[in-house]
Amino acid sequence: MLPKVDESELIKNEFSRLKGICYLDHVGSALYADSQINNVMKDLKMNLYGNPHSTGDPSATCEKRINSVRFKILEHFNTGPEKYSVVFTSGATGALKTVAECFAWDDEDGDRPAEDGVDSVCRSRGSTFAYTEDNHTSVLGMRELAPMANLLCLTRNEAHEALDKMPHSSAKKNRPVCSRNSLFAFPAQSNFAGTKYPLEWIETCQEGALDQYTGNRVKSRWFTVLDASSYVPTNHLDLEKYSPDFVTVSFYKMFGYPTGLGALLVRNKTAAAVLRRKKYFGGGTVEVVLAHNRHHVLKKNLHEKFEDGTVDFLSAIAVGHGLDTLRALAGPMREVAGRTFRLAAYLYGRMSGARHGNGLPVFRTYTDTEYRCESTQGGVVNFNVLRANGDYVGYNEVKYVASSHSIVLRVGCFCNPGACQTHLGHTDEELRRNQEVIGHICGDHIDLINGRPTGSVRVSFGYQSSESDADRLYDTLVQQFWQKNPVKPVYRQQNTVDEYNTMDLHVSRIFVFPIKSCGAYETKEWQLESYGFQYDRNWMVVSTSGVCMTQMEDPKLCLVRPYIDLQKGTMTLVYAENEDEVPMVVPLDTKHSDTKRTGKICWGGHLEGIDCGDEVAEWLSWNLDRPGLRLVRCTSRTPAVNSYEKIDPKVIGANQCQYLLSTQSTLKWLQQEMENNITEIDEDSLLLRFRGNFLISGNSLPAFGELSWDQLDIGGVKFQFVSGCERCKMVNIDQDTSESIYKPLSILSQHKWEGKPIFGIYMKREDTEKCKIRVGQKCTVINKKN
């Protein structure tokens, strides 16, 4: 037995690039190890490999090496070339597609001539394609390549009822021998909930257990395709003990690299002959082909027959190193199965016991087992988060929380629509309506419809995982979503215009953000330009690829603090973590002749501007620890048609509109809600997270009252309501420290306005005349929205 490697040392030595990241998406993709990549690169540097279809020593060396990798793959699954052949594919999906395309399906009316002893009833009914409801989309796609086959979709209970017991020998004898071929596809392990399905189903299916669904007189020759892509990364598949006709795998799911390569394992004795409908051929798959006549002969060797074109030979060679690394670092796969199961069971147990302050559960888990046995459950936990009032938290909100705490997980339906539908309780009609009426499609941002989840959250463990990973996820989610009591609904008081104007509404604070996504500059008085406040979002920090940087990419941008001196015509930059360092001074009016003009900047369309020089670029790169940053003064903007249709054409660097306004009452409400959930926060710290230009205060002004304003007069300057400001995870970033807490967005998400978490309102000014706004100026609500 290989020595067990301590998980912390393993991460430190082999996965140092994680740098504190908690990786919990091993079903999505395994992690490649440093030594694995080093061995691959060393191999490629030391050896000359040529196209295996060419002649010469490099080609012969390559072909020999690839064949040794085929043998190593079979050895890993405890079998050999006498029983199985290895066909390289683009992945498990490509392998499933190959089976469906080439399988000898029988048409409904019989596509082959009658044979002696074959009942006409057998031929008239055609093939059956059976599959479990819990399957990857790639399996569902197989049915489109068998348009004439009878379809049989089995629920989990139906599959167990039909396949858990071997058919009676008397039943088998009474049915006529039939030459039609039928196929059953199921996963060894569900990629949704980690349910392990009995591999004994392979034999019971081959013995005709599913014939009961296709008519009492009819008996098929049943073949099985085992989707093992979610199973083999953490489990031992013993092909000496079990004999599926086809097995599909993806290698990146096993050991991370190479990507874009998988394999179809074909059982030589039974399955090779049934893959006889191969139509397309290419590369080295033929023995002879005529150019002027439709004549070709496919090669007899199975992998030569099915690997169209030149196989990705360098990736195939890399598979050998991946298998070596898996064996060296993970140890026996049976032990990996036990470790990952115990981690999942541990997390499941903690989640099952989590309760809000009022006793309601924090999590709803989706499982077919109770995590009692590793033979029925893999290292996967699937769940949604619940609020204290029982409402679901959208899975995107959970994803943002995890991401802000450097936890990698997956959300959605995981390309398994059947399991997702079953566990979430949706009907076919609901799913069709969601797509046709609401526009919800696979992979979009819609995670809740009428309060019901459209998907869930999945975490999965690998051989590198530890109990601390499970604890980190659990502690983070409980810290961010646990509530002492449900958040009380906001009473949105209906005030008249006259009532608003008796509340002594006035401007209490003014902020300008000269550099997009950097710190605020507070002032008592400021000039209004046609695009908004003078100098507001006029500069951007741009990456080496020409993309505008925001706090979404680097939260530390908030630590770049600008100070404007209008008399000197300068903007002084100070970095909060290096305040002793000499500040950087940038002229407010950068002339074209002073610096070089940049190309287009990618952000919300196309921006053009003037580069502010190497000195400030080096200052930014040094403080933010990101080489190659540039500071650019924006001069014009062309909105992107698809992303920002509602952008005011006069806006330069702001997200959507000229001005962003918030009120003291709404701020106070949010601060109180956070304190009710045991999260104390300074009012200024909370205010700066929302990056508004105005703060309006008043007596008895209701929370969210600003959402009812249509027009606002500030000191004789008229502003028009545009929309509420939908908030994202940037509001979780403390602008003093760049650290994140998720409570602000979590609370706002429970009080959505028109389906969105809103804080503040966008305002625009049609008048282009320059004027000034001052703190203390009176605000008058002119019109109120109905």
Side-chain angles (χ1 to χ4, degrees), residues 541-549 600 621 626-631:
V541 178
V542 179
S543 69
T544 54
S545 58
V547 176
C548 169
M549 298 287 294
K600 291 183 177 179
S621 298
R626 282 179 175 262
L629 297 179
R630 308 295 298 185
L631 183 66

Side-chain angles (χ1 to χ4, degrees), residues 41 73-74 93 99 112 150-151 211 260 294-295 333 367 459 483 493 538 551 599 616 618 658 713 773:
M41 295 301 108
I73 292 169
L74 295 174
T93 294
V99 173
R112 288 177 293 147
N150 304 298
L151 298 180
D211 280 338
R294 192 186 293 272
H295 176 78
M333 296 307 294
T367 177
V459 296
Q483 295 174 300
Q493 187 174 328
N538 274 204
Q551 290 182 37
V616 66
E618 292 172 3
Q658 295 165 306
D713 182 300
I773 293 291

Side-chain angles (χ1 to χ4, degrees), residues 83-85 99 102-104 181 183 206 221-225 243-247 264-277 302 305-306:
K83 186 174 182 181
Y84 281 92
S85 294
V99 173
C102 302
F103 188 78
N181 303 313
L183 184 66
Q206 291 166 342
R221 294 176 58 214
W222 280 97
F223 296 84
T224 56
V225 53
S243 301
D245 299 287
F246 308 102
V247 181
L264 172 64
L265 277 60
V266 182
R267 189 181 176 196
N268 298 324
K269 182 179 179 181
T270 57
V274 83
L275 293 181
R276 58 173 177 263
R277 284 197 172 182
L302 201 67
K305 179 179 179 180
F306 283 95

Side-chain angles (χ1 to χ4, degrees), residues 742-759:
Y742 202 70
K743 287 295 183 182
L745 185 56
S746 177
I747 292 172
L748 292 176
S749 296
Q750 298 173 64
H751 296 281
K752 293 182 178 180
W753 184 71
E754 295 183 352
K756 300 174 182 178
I758 298 295
F759 189 97

Side-chain angles (χ1 to χ4, degrees), residues 506-569:
H506 62 276
V507 178
S508 56
R509 301 180 77 171
I510 295 174
F511 297 95
V512 182
F513 299 86
I515 307 176
K516 184 170 179 61
S517 245
C518 291
Y521 173 65
E522 186 170 8
T523 181
K524 297 294 185 182
E525 179 182 71
W526 207 250
Q527 182 168 296
L528 276 60
E529 301 280 353
S530 61
Y531 57 80
F533 272 138
Q534 186 180 29
Y535 302 123
D536 191 52
R537 277 91 170 183
N538 274 204
W539 287 265
M540 290 187 174
V541 178
V542 179
S543 69
T544 54
S545 58
V547 176
C548 169
M549 298 287 294
T550 71
Q551 290 182 37
M552 298 284 276
E553 291 79 40
D554 191 344
K556 288 192 174 183
L557 281 168
C558 69
L559 302 180
V560 177
R561 309 281 167 73
Y563 299 90
I564 292 178
D565 189 325
L566 293 176
Q567 290 185 343
K568 293 182 179 180

Side-chain angles (χ1 to χ4, degrees), residues 427-442 444 446 449 454:
T427 65
D428 287 353
E429 291 72 20
E430 287 173 334
L431 294 177
R432 287 188 176 188
R433 185 178 64 250
N434 290 346
Q435 186 268 325
E436 294 170 358
V437 179
I438 299 175
H440 171 54
I441 61 174
C442 294
D444 68 11
I446 301 175
I449 296 178
T454 61

